[in-house]
Amino acid sequence: MLDLAKTRNIGISAHIDSGKTTLTERILFYTGKIHKIEEVKGKSGVGATMDSMELERERGITIQSAATHVTWADHHVNIIDTPGHVDFTIEVERALSVLDGAILVLCGVAGVQSQSLTVDRQMRRYNVPRLAFINKMDRSGADAYRVHEALRSKLKLNAVMMTLPIGAEDRFEGVIDLLTRRAYYFDGGNGETVREADIPDGYEDKVEEWRAKLCEAVAEHDDALTEKFLEGQELTAEEMIPVIRKATIALKFVPTFCGSAYKNKGVQTMLDGVTRYLPDPTEVTNKAFLREGNSEREVVLETKDDKPLCSLAFKLEDGRYGQLTYLRIYQGKVGKGDTIYNARTGQKAKVGRLVRMHADKMEDIDGAGAGDIVALFGIDCAAGDTFTGETPYSLRSMYVPEPVIFYAVKPKDNAMLANFSKALNRFAKEDPTFKVRRDEESGETIIAGMGELHLDVYIERMRREYKVETVVGEPQVAYRETIQREVPYEYTHKKQTGGSGQYAKIGGVMRPLPDPQPGEHYRFLDKIVGGIIPREFIPSVDNGFQIAKDRGVLIGFPVVDIEMELNDGGFHAVDSSDIAFQVAARAAFKEAMRKADPVVLEPLMKVEVETPEEFQGAVQTTLIRRRGIIVGSDTKVGTNAIEAHVPLSEMFGYSTELRSATQGKAEYSMEFEKYAPVPRNIQEALVDKYKDRPKG
């Protein structure tokens, strides 16, 4: 079994195109996992090791997070390389929810970009300690000191330089370790030979200045070192390393390294930082819920093999040998032949084949213990399921954002229907942000996701992996509806059709949701007293409201951010029933909503465009023309980064317009920001458009 003190479970995440996959490729090479480096868009056409999907190699982007394990300085390191593209954000969530530490990669030129902010937010959500790696120091305009400052000012991280660059841009030669005041150069064809040397001439003052900053930052986290520092005594590397480690694990310190993965420089010093400063599985607090009868209580899991099993299936893949389930073991151990239980379904399963993953290759193992990440074959489950032994633990599932865009899809040929269904079922099981439903009125199959690229990738995968050609409708925006004022409602449902009839009377208030919790969009308040409605019918009213809120009164989209209070009503001893109260609630909801100033909400996207400075005005014009509001711009070395909030409905076809406005020199990324009311004239147009057609 693993020596837990020498185990690290880490992720590599960053803004798209910061060089994460290139960095992972170098890590695999220097740890002896691969013997030849392949580039993300290499001439060989092979593609990076971790981009094992054909589509990833063609597009030069990472779509799925990939898992591997390596050995560095006698430490066992499980690594998950995650996508940078926001459309695949669930892959980042999924990885961070099971990792103990992370490397935040930043581009030495662009620095902190919009996606860096998103990744940082995700790391904070899961309390993941991280170190930063300032990559691409060989690029024109690279400046490690500026990026370090942006980490502190924009991300509010206590980032502290651990290594300084020797030179920059095309004169970037190596790094200086501030702890030891030693220079490191990376020789050989692929930078595999690390050469230690004295600090080069002209760098002594800079090293002393930045080492003093490092000592001051470290001393803040230890009383004995504070005293030494204030007395002007030298702080040694041996004294500082354990303090840096402790502060990093406590999320109070971010050790920052620099280098160029592409030019094979600085990766090994950063790997030393991973083993030195990121936590082992026993140093991270993981909690689960233990079911006792009808109640649950929170318990802290212990990273020990001799405790009851608690593990999370955090990712699924359809491999050559059936479903592959990635498992993070938090407590206990799992071996071939063991019986494990799915906490969500209650089903038991026998562990057949157990493997350790290396991108799309694998090695068979007999067992694995607490703190490890492995994969199983032949287990039927969904992403986010908890697997246990006899003890009924359950782990809270990860945060899943709501989809913002949808397409109507159908196979070109009815003979492909079976494969079409098979593909959609598999994708929905693998990816919680990919939703599939059938529209009852139009009979169409609707797929929904996080953006055009997200859905396009699945349509392309359907064609390649399932040989299904599809007909795809126009992309549609996932609008929402809400109300703007409080209104009372009262409704009586009466029906007499010979024999027993139906009777239900309800009254109360519909209002905008006050003080919503994160992720809360609907609340039901039961204020019934004196038995005016029997207790067994109150859930029926709640149920009726929930069914009604799935289709608003304006354009038939789900209604959000409402509170339904039930405080009055009546019943009939014979004619009242569950159905009667549901029908009354649905009718009351529609009636009240029409009086409560309903509005249509549209998804607003945070769009960041990076453009050469000379096109700044042209780019701003393209955004404003699409109802965009410019919220900020930042100039770095001849490049201008413009941030705007733009309605998703206006962003279709934007890449073509941006290319022609900037001679193909600008690029943009976008992610969901929030829902906001559409302007009145657009709401009227939407209502007219949706009046005469089935709702999506």
Side-chain angles (χ1 to χ4, degrees):
M1 288 293 173
L2 295 178
D3 174 358
L4 289 176
K6 293 193 170 180
T7 299
R8 301 287 180 272
N9 292 318
I10 64 162
I12 300 177
S13 45
H15 184 91
I16 190 166
D17 218 16
S18 298
K20 292 180 313 304
T21 302
T22 307
L23 175 62
T24 311
E25 193 77 1
R26 299 313 185 269
I27 290 171
L28 296 177
F29 180 76
Y30 298 137
T31 55
K33 206 69 187 169
I34 56 173
H35 303 293
K36 182 171 182 284
I37 290 172
E38 294 288 356
E39 300 308 339
V40 174
K41 290 182 177 173
K43 292 187 178 69
S44 67
V46 175
T49 309
M50 298 297 272
D51 284 349
S52 58
M53 198 194 277
E54 194 182 327
L55 251 178
E56 296 180 305
R57 292 179 173 176
E58 276 175 29
R59 295 188 182 220
I61 61 169
T62 303
I63 291 169
Q64 294 183 319
S65 50
T68 188
H69 71 99
V70 300
T71 303
W72 180 257
D74 73 0
H75 283 66
H76 175 91
V77 185
N78 286 313
I79 299 177
I80 295 189
D81 173 32
T82 62
H85 201 289
V86 69
D87 282 19
F88 306 103
T89 190
I90 190 66
E91 291 284 342
V92 184
E93 291 278 346
R94 208 190 315 248
L96 289 176
S97 70
V98 297
L99 293 171
D100 304 326
I103 301 168
L104 174 61
V105 184
L106 300 130
C107 170
V109 182
V112 173
Q113 295 165 278
S114 60
Q115 208 54 62
S116 320
L117 295 158
T118 306
V119 169
D120 177 62
R121 199 166 59 239
Q122 290 170 320
M123 288 181 184
R124 288 173 196 263
R125 184 180 292 135
Y126 297 106
N127 295 322
V128 178
R130 85 289 306 253
L131 50 85
F133 182 66
I134 301 169
N135 194 18
K136 302 195 176 185
M137 284 304 300
D138 60 302
R139 289 261 305 273
S140 173
D143 183 342
Y145 304 104
R146 192 187 65 239
V147 179
H148 166 258
E149 187 46 47
L151 277 169
R152 297 179 71 88
S153 60
K154 287 189 179 177
L155 295 184
K156 304 286 184 280
L157 293 173
N158 185 21
V160 181
M161 295 291 268
M162 304 300 297
T163 60
L164 298 186
I166 301 171
E169 303 180 343
D170 55 355
R171 291 192 301 280
F172 176 60
E173 293 175 24
V175 299
I176 299 167
D177 182 345
L178 290 175
L179 284 174
T180 58
R181 295 187 178 90
R182 300 293 290 164
Y184 290 92
Y185 298 92
F186 304 88
D187 302 334
N190 294 305
E192 65 274 21
T193 309
V194 181
R195 174 167 55 91
E196 188 180 327
D198 292 335
I199 297 170
D201 291 343
Y203 277 86
E204 294 85 351
D205 290 349
K206 191 157 231 174
V207 168
E208 289 314 309
E209 177 199 341
W210 283 90
R211 194 177 194 278
K213 290 181 183 179
L214 169 63
C215 293
E216 186 180 357
V218 175
E220 283 177 17
H221 299 282
D222 185 271
D223 292 344
L225 292 190
T226 306
E227 212 167 295
K228 269 190 93 171
F229 180 73
L230 292 174
E231 287 169 4
Q233 293 181 45
E234 171 87 358
L235 302 189
T236 66
E238 290 70 29
E239 288 174 312
M240 289 197 277
I241 287 169
V243 177
I244 296 171
R245 176 182 178 79
K246 196 174 166 191
T248 303
I249 293 169
L251 307 177
K252 292 176 179 167
F253 199 97
V254 178
T256 303
F257 298 82
C258 60
S260 164
Y262 184 59
K263 295 287 186 195
N264 311 310
K265 291 179 171 62
V267 176
Q268 295 96 319
T269 43
M270 188 268 305
L271 271 174
D272 289 336
V274 167
T275 55
R276 249 179 214 169
Y277 307 124
L278 290 181
D280 71 47
T282 64
E283 294 171 301
V284 177
T285 304
N286 293 301
K287 294 177 181 175
F289 291 85
L290 183 60
R291 244 188 350 271
E292 293 171 330
N294 293 324
S295 64
E296 283 186 337
R297 69 181 170 91
E298 196 172 60
V299 291
V300 173
L301 297 172
E302 293 181 66
T303 313
K304 292 180 179 172
D305 292 356
D306 58 357
K307 296 285 178 185
L309 175 68
C310 182
S311 61
L312 181 72
F314 66 96
K315 177 175 163 53
L316 310 180
E317 265 176 36
D318 206 27
R320 285 170 300 217
Y321 311 103
Q323 182 173 298
L324 183 65
T325 304
Y326 285 82
L327 204 66
R328 162 73 204 255
I329 307 167
Y330 289 103
Q331 180 178 280
K333 59 179 190 234
V334 65
K336 275 184 6 184
D338 288 358
T339 299
I340 56 176
Y341 296 85
N342 184 326
R344 179 178 60 86
T345 63
Q347 290 177 325
K348 63 180 182 178
K350 203 173 177 78
V351 177
R353 194 175 168 202
L354 199 60
V355 296
R356 205 180 284 294
M357 292 306 297
H358 170 44
D360 61 343
K361 299 180 180 68
M362 58 193 77
E363 60 180 78
D364 282 275
I365 53 174
D366 291 328
D372 211 348
I373 292 176
V374 291
L376 308 168
F377 275 108
I379 302 280
D380 185 41
C381 65
D385 283 355
T386 305
F387 280 101
T388 65
E390 302 279 351
T391 311
Y393 289 117
S394 77
L395 291 154
R396 279 287 173 263
S397 56
M398 62 210 142
Y399 166 78
V400 179
E402 282 296 310
V404 292
I405 182 175
F406 62 89
Y407 296 162
V409 289
K410 63 179 181 187
K412 267 186 185 164
D413 182 349
N414 279 348
M416 299 173 180
L417 260 173
N419 270 5
F420 177 71
S421 301
K422 208 183 282 180
L424 291 183
N425 285 338
R426 174 189 154 195
F427 297 154
K429 210 172 179 188
E430 274 182 20
D431 180 352
T433 58
F434 178 77
K435 300 273 201 284
V436 183
R437 66 182 171 83
R438 183 178 164 77
D439 188 277
E440 293 308 325
E441 290 187 19
S442 65
E444 291 177 317
T445 300
I446 307 288
I447 59 170
M450 303 309 296
E452 283 182 277
L453 177 65
H454 188 208
L455 296 182
D456 290 348
V457 161
Y458 279 118
I459 285 159
E460 182 62 16
R461 282 183 64 189
M462 217 181 300
R463 188 176 71 77
R464 292 183 186 206
E465 296 169 34
Y466 288 89
K467 308 291 181 272
V468 177
E469 298 285 348
T470 50
V471 179
V472 182
E474 284 293 300
Q476 303 288 326
V477 173
Y479 292 105
R480 293 287 180 263
E481 298 182 31
T482 193
I483 58 168
Q484 297 181 99
R485 68 188 185 92
E486 184 175 301
V487 291
Y489 65 85
E490 192 175 303
Y491 191 85
T492 305
H493 171 63
K494 256 195 238 177
K495 200 174 178 190
Q496 201 64 47
T497 50
S500 64
Q502 287 185 9
Y503 180 87
K505 182 183 176 188
I506 58 171
V509 183
M510 170 189 265
R511 62 175 70 91
L513 182 63
D515 307 321
Q517 297 300 306
E520 183 188 27
H521 296 293
Y522 164 80
R523 194 182 294 153
F524 175 69
L525 291 184
D526 169 15
K527 293 284 183 76
I528 292 295
V529 288
I532 47 176
I533 297 176
R535 301 298 325 155
E536 68 264 28
F537 295 137
I538 289 170
S540 314
V541 177
D542 183 13
N543 229 342
F545 289 149
Q546 294 210 46
I547 292 165
K549 78 176 176 62
D550 286 343
R551 299 183 83 88
V553 299
L554 294 171
I555 59 173
F557 275 82
V559 183
V560 293
D561 302 336
I562 47 158
E563 181 173 84
M564 298 301 295
E565 181 182 312
L566 176 68
N567 57 28
D568 196 9
F571 72 102
H572 185 281
V574 176
D575 293 350
S576 286
S577 64
D578 167 40
I579 292 296
F581 275 96
Q582 271 199 46
V583 171
R586 284 158 70 174
F589 187 97
K590 299 280 186 207
E591 209 173 74
M593 189 176 170
R594 285 193 180 90
K595 298 174 189 163
D597 288 352
V599 288
V600 175
L601 303 174
E602 63 183 348
L604 272 192
M605 309 305 281
K606 182 168 85 174
V607 178
E608 186 174 276
V609 185
E610 296 207 352
T611 174
E613 270 183 281
E614 67 262 31
F615 300 116
Q616 183 182 351
V619 168
Q620 289 189 342
T621 304
T622 66
L623 293 167
I624 291 162
R625 205 169 39 235
R626 290 171 179 260
R627 293 201 283 126
I629 295 164
I630 310 290
V631 292
S633 74
D634 190 11
T635 304
K636 311 165 191 159
V637 203
T639 301
N640 198 265
I642 301 162
E643 195 182 309
H645 291 167
V646 191
L648 175 60
S649 58
E650 303 286 344
M651 285 301 294
F652 298 129
Y654 182 63
S655 50
T656 311
E657 185 186 356
L658 184 65
R659 264 200 305 273
S660 60
T662 62
Q663 300 167 13
K665 291 177 182 170
E667 53 183 48
Y668 80 98
S669 66
M670 73 173 181
E671 64 176 305
F672 172 71
E673 174 69 17
K674 62 181 178 183
Y675 271 96
V678 301
R680 178 64 59 187
N681 61 324
I682 290 172
Q683 176 163 314
E684 285 164 6
L686 283 171
V687 171
D688 287 344
K689 179 183 167 189
Y690 281 87
K691 223 177 244 168
D692 308 316
R693 55 173 277 186
K695 277 66 167 184

